[in-house]
Amino acid sequence: MDNNKDNNKEKSDFIREIIREDLERNGSNQEIHTRFPPEPNGYLHIGHAKSICLNFGLADEFGGKCNLRFDDTNPVKEESEYVESIKKDIKWLGFDWGDREYYASDYFEKLYEFALILIKKGKAYVCDLNADEIREYRGTLTTPGKESPYRNRSIEENLRLFKEMKEGKYPDGSRVLRAKIDMSSPNLNMRDPIMYRILHKRHHRTGNKWCIYPTYDWAHGQSDSIENITHSICTLEFEDHRPLYDWFIEQLGIHHPRQIEFARLNLTYTVMSKRMLLELVEKKYVNGWDDPRMPTISGMRRRGYSPEAIRNFCSEIGLAKAESTIDLAFLEHFIREDLNKKAARVMGVLNPLKIIIDNYPDDKQEELEAINNPEDLNAGTRKIPFSKVLYIEQDDFMENPPNKFYRLSPGREVRLRYAYFIKCVDVIKDKNGNILELHCVYDPSTKGGNAPDGRKVKSTLHWVSARHAITAEVRLYDKLFIKENPLKLKDGEDFKDNLSPNSLVVINNCKLEPYLKKVKPGEVYQFERLGYFCVDTDTTNEKIIFNRTVTLKDEWAKISKTL
Ligand code: ATP
Ligand code: MG
C-alpha cells in the first residue's frame, strides 16, 4: 500500500486484539481470512470505505486474505451497474481482492442443499402464512410470538412443497421456507425467520434459473462459511443476528467463522443510507451517484479527494463498539492535509473585477516567477504573465471599506502576488452605480512584491492577466444538508426538507492563469487564497470545469481546540 502513513505503526483496537488472541491460540500457521460483502444495490459510500479499509487492512497486516463478495440475494434491487461501480471504487481506494471475487448467487445451489438438510432434520418448514400474518404471529419485544399453523408439517410434505416452490409451481408471496427455532425467544431474529421467499424475478447473474431466493440472513453466514472466512466483521446491527447465524452453522455442522461487530461510521451533514442516497439520485436532488456533494466514494473522487486522504481518515477514526457521528470537518482536515502536500498553487479569480494599470505600457508584458508548491520545493517554479489589464477578485475591493478591511480601496496600496505594489486611483461605474473597472498605478521598483524602501502593505491579492487568462466554470460545493443530523425530524418532516439550497453554486466566468490551459480531469490545484479545486470529469477541450474540493480554512483546528 502506498503512502499510508499508518503503515509503520502497529494498530491496536478491540478487533485486532481478538485476532491476535485467536492467532496465538490457534498457532501461527493459521491464516486470517476476511471479506468485504457489499450488497450491489447502490454505490459505495464513505461508511463502506471504513469497512473496506478494515477488512483489507487486517488481511494486509496479518498476512492473510480478504475476499470481495457481492451479497446479491435480492434480485429486485440489484444491478450490474452497481457491481461495476463497487469494483472500481475498491480498486481506486487502493485494495486488491486478487482472484477472490465471489457472489452469494454462486452459492444458490449450495444454499438450497443446505436448506434441504435443515428440512430433513426437522429444522425448517414451509409456511403458507402471508407477510402480514407472519409479522403478526412474530409478536413483539414484549410479547412472545405464536407458532404458525404450518409449523408441524411432516418432513416429506416440507420437502415436496419446497421443491415445488423451486420449480415455480407457486406465485410470489404464497409460501416461504422458515427455520424452526423458537417463537418465544426474546430475540426476534430467532422466531422462525424466513430463509426463502418466492420471487419470479430475473437475477443479474443467475437469470431466470431461480424463482426462490435466499434471505440475507440465510445466505450471509453460510456464504462466509463456504469461503472459509475466519473473521466475519460486520456492523453493530448484526449483533442480534449472530445467534441466528450461529444456529444455522451449528445445525449444518460446517466451518464457523467468528463474527465481530463494530460501530458504523456516521458523518455530520450527510446521510449514509443507500436507500436515501438512491432517492436523492432518482428524484434528481443531486446529479447522480458521483455528484461531488454525495458521501459516495465516486462523489468524493470526482470532488478531488484522494484515496490516501480517505484511508488516513478511516484509520484515524478508529473502531468502536458504540455508535457515534464523526464531524465532517474532521474528514475535510485529512483532505486538506493531503492536498497541502500535493497540490500545485495557481492563481484564479472566481468573480473577476477588471483593473487597468495606468502607468504600465500598453503592449508590454512580463513573465514573473512563481513557486509551484511551498510545501514541496521539488515542484519547481513557473512563469506567470503580467500586463496592463488584470483581473482581481470583486471581494478584494471596497470603495468605502470598514476599519478592518485591508484589501484594495481608493488610495490604498496593496501587493499583487509575485508582481508589484499597486494603488487604486479611480473607480469607474455604470449609470446604476455598479463598479465596472478600477484604475490603478503600479510602482516598478516593487517587482517581485517587495519595496526597496522597506514600506509595507497590509494585504496581498491574487490576480490574473486579462489578455492571457483562460475562462472556466467553477462549481462551489458546500454541505449537502443544513442540519448536522439531517435525520432528526419533527412530525411530518422528511430528510429531504433538510437539503441545503446552497450546496451547489455555479460560477461561469472565472479567469485562470494560462498555466491551467491543459489540465486533465482529476487534477487538483490550490487556487491561492481560495481553496483546493479539482478538474471535473466533464471538462473538454472547449470547456474547463473545476469543482471546489475544499476551502482553505481548517474548521477542525477550531473545533478540536474547544473539545
Ligand atoms: P445501507 O444500510 O446504507 O443500505 P448496508 O450496510 O446495507 O448499507 P452493504 O452493502 O450491506 O450496505 O454493506 C457492505 C459492508 O459495509 C457491510 O459489511 C456493512 O457492515 C459495511 N458498512 C455499511 N455501511 C457502513 C458504515 N456506515 N460504516 C461502516 N461500515 C459500513
Ligand atoms: Mg446490508
Side-chain angles (χ1 to χ4, degrees):
M1 164 102 20
D2 51 320
N3 270 340
N4 197 336
K5 68 171 187 185
D6 277 355
N7 242 0
N8 302 324
K9 94 174 174 235
E10 180 157 289
K11 287 185 215 167
S12 194
D13 51 57
F14 74 97
I15 294 185
R16 287 170 171 89
E17 285 310 312
I18 293 173
I19 292 179
R20 284 192 190 105
E21 276 170 32
D22 285 350
L23 286 174
E24 233 161 74
R25 193 173 330 107
N26 299 334
S28 53
N29 54 355
Q30 193 206 337
E31 189 173 65
I32 82 142
H33 205 150
T34 56
R35 84 287 176 267
F36 173 65
E39 192 182 335
N41 60 352
Y43 280 57
L44 297 181
H45 52 58
I46 182 81
H48 294 114
K50 176 175 178 180
S51 178
I52 293 168
C53 290
L54 175 61
N55 281 295
F56 283 92
L58 289 172
D60 276 354
E61 280 164 56
F62 291 96
K65 291 193 189 108
C66 179
N67 293 357
L68 168 60
R69 182 177 70 247
F70 291 99
D71 262 328
D72 55 349
T73 52
N74 184 355
V76 180
K77 292 186 184 164
E78 292 161 6
E79 287 176 30
S80 338
E81 177 197 342
Y82 297 139
V83 169
E84 293 314 311
S85 76
I86 289 170
K87 293 201 277 188
K88 181 175 172 185
D89 289 349
I90 299 173
K91 279 193 191 138
W92 178 79
L93 271 178
F95 297 101
D96 185 8
W97 56 90
D99 56 359
R100 294 177 310 282
E101 175 179 329
Y102 301 121
Y103 294 80
S105 56
D106 294 339
Y107 311 138
F108 281 176
E109 197 67 53
K110 189 86 197 162
L111 291 167
Y112 179 74
E113 285 165 23
F114 282 158
L116 293 177
I117 292 174
L118 290 195
I119 296 174
K120 285 178 192 156
K121 288 181 78 172
K123 299 291 183 183
Y125 64 97
V126 173
C127 180
D128 302 357
L129 294 179
N130 65 33
D132 287 338
E133 290 164 334
I134 289 181
R135 201 173 309 122
E136 200 187 302
Y137 275 63
R138 185 179 294 133
T140 63
L141 283 172
T142 48
T143 56
K146 222 166 56 182
E147 293 191 352
S148 158
Y150 305 96
R151 199 174 197 258
N152 294 313
R153 273 177 164 151
S154 68
I155 291 175
E156 289 65 39
E157 191 184 4
N158 280 320
L159 283 173
R160 178 178 58 80
L161 289 172
F162 185 51
K163 283 178 186 162
E164 287 174 356
M165 278 166 64
K166 181 194 180 216
E167 284 157 13
K169 291 219 170 130
Y170 305 114
D172 288 4
S174 59
R175 294 199 151 103
V176 292
L177 184 74
R178 299 175 70 174
K180 194 170 174 178
I181 311 181
D182 178 5
M183 288 307 289
S184 61
S185 169
N187 184 340
L188 293 177
N189 293 305
M190 301 299 272
R191 295 186 188 171
D192 292 8
I194 296 173
M195 295 166 61
Y196 276 93
R197 61 259 198 248
I198 302 172
L199 218 50
H200 290 266
K201 184 95 190 165
R202 204 187 149 73
H203 184 278
H204 76 114
R205 296 193 88 232
T206 57
N208 291 321
K209 176 153 183 232
W210 295 88
C211 62
I212 54 169
Y213 288 97
T215 55
Y216 185 86
D217 274 347
W218 167 239
H220 188 77
Q222 278 54 259
S223 301
D224 281 349
S225 177
I226 291 168
E227 291 177 16
N228 276 315
I229 299 305
T230 58
H231 295 86
S232 171
I233 294 161
C234 54
T235 35
L236 282 180
E237 69 272 25
F238 291 101
E239 199 164 11
D240 290 345
H241 297 235
R242 176 150 39 93
L244 173 60
Y245 297 173
D246 288 345
W247 187 88
F248 283 139
I249 296 268
E250 276 155 28
Q251 294 304 321
L252 294 167
I254 55 178
H255 162 71
H256 197 155
R258 181 203 272 272
Q259 176 170 315
I260 312 172
E261 304 87 12
F262 70 100
R264 57 173 51 228
L265 165 65
N266 300 301
L267 261 190
T268 56
Y269 298 105
T270 193
V271 294
M272 212 79 95
S273 137
K274 278 189 275 187
R275 180 179 59 77
M276 290 176 189
L277 296 176
L278 176 66
E279 190 179 345
L280 296 181
V281 172
E282 283 185 334
K283 298 192 176 151
K284 304 213 173 344
Y285 288 97
V286 293
N287 302 314
W289 284 98
D290 69 344
D291 187 302
R293 290 169 290 182
M294 291 280 271
T296 52
I297 297 181
S298 48
M300 292 182 175
R301 171 169 61 233
R302 185 164 180 181
R303 182 147 171 177
Y305 291 14
S306 78
E308 296 80 41
I310 294 176
R311 292 200 305 260
N312 287 340
F313 166 73
C314 289
S315 163
E316 286 300 310
I317 52 179
L319 294 173
K321 263 284 187 194
E323 287 277 343
S324 67
T325 302
I326 304 288
D327 210 301
L328 180 62
F330 190 58
L331 171 61
E332 292 189 343
H333 166 79
F334 286 90
I335 305 308
R336 286 189 187 94
E337 190 183 68
D338 177 61
L339 291 175
N340 181 42
K341 286 179 267 172
K342 297 178 186 165
R345 275 58 169 169
V346 294
M347 291 202 284
V349 174
L350 299 187
N351 296 297
L353 170 61
K354 188 188 271 186
I355 66 171
I356 296 145
I357 314 283
D358 289 338
N359 58 339
Y360 197 86
D362 284 357
D363 306 325
K364 186 170 169 182
Q365 90 174 39
E366 283 175 87
E367 300 272 305
L368 303 171
E369 184 155 58
I371 296 166
N372 286 334
N373 186 351
E375 300 288 324
D376 173 14
L377 293 177
N378 292 328
T381 59
R382 68 183 187 286
K383 300 283 188 204
I384 313 178
F386 185 88
S387 64
K388 186 181 179 79
V389 182
L390 310 169
Y391 294 115
I392 62 166
E393 209 68 64
Q394 285 172 18
D395 280 355
D396 281 336
F397 175 78
M398 275 185 100
E399 194 175 10
N400 300 300
N403 275 342
K404 290 255 157 93
F405 186 90
Y406 297 121
R407 290 165 275 164
L408 197 62
S409 58
R412 163 93 49 80
E413 192 170 48
V414 298
R415 176 189 294 110
L416 293 180
R417 178 88 159 138
Y418 297 120
Y420 296 98
F421 285 11
I422 59 162
K423 191 188 275 183
C424 175
V425 292
D426 199 9
V427 183
I428 310 295
K429 297 184 196 171
D430 67 13
K431 60 180 190 310
N432 300 318
N434 301 312
I435 298 174
L436 292 177
E437 58 189 40
L438 307 178
H439 284 264
C440 298
V441 290
Y442 86 118
D443 176 350
S445 76
T446 57
K447 184 166 180 173
N450 289 305
D453 62 5
R455 77 181 189 278
K456 301 282 182 227
V457 287
K458 281 208 166 128
S459 73
T460 302
L461 310 185
H462 60 274
W463 55 273
V464 181
S465 161
R467 198 181 336 138
H468 304 92
I470 55 171
T471 303
E473 175 180 309
V474 173
R475 299 172 182 170
L476 302 178
Y477 296 102
D478 202 350
K479 299 180 177 85
L480 184 53
F481 290 92
I482 45 177
K483 283 204 195 139
E484 247 186 52
N485 178 1
L487 300 182
K488 200 167 157 191
L489 301 169
K490 294 197 201 84
D491 269 358
E493 270 184 348
D494 178 278
F495 80 101
K496 300 189 294 307
D497 298 336
N498 290 325
L499 279 165
S500 164
N502 305 317
S503 60
L504 170 60
V505 174
V506 179
I507 352 185
N508 276 309
N509 192 30
C510 304
K511 299 293 181 185
L512 311 179
E513 62 170 282
Y515 182 69
L516 296 173
K517 204 172 273 175
K518 293 219 157 56
V519 291
K520 293 192 198 64
E523 291 174 351
V524 187
Y525 296 88
Q526 185 193 100
F527 291 4
E528 294 210 27
R529 301 174 67 225
L530 297 175
Y532 294 98
F533 293 77
C534 170
V535 184
D536 188 71
T537 41
D538 284 346
T539 291
T540 59
N541 287 338
E542 285 72 47
K543 185 172 185 188
I544 294 176
I545 305 168
F546 272 94
N547 296 316
R548 183 170 67 195
T549 307
V550 68
T551 57
L552 291 177
K553 198 160 91 210
D554 194 339
E555 299 280 348
W556 178 250
K558 213 164 64 191
I559 295 165
S560 56
K561 258 189 219 135
T562 64
L563 292 179

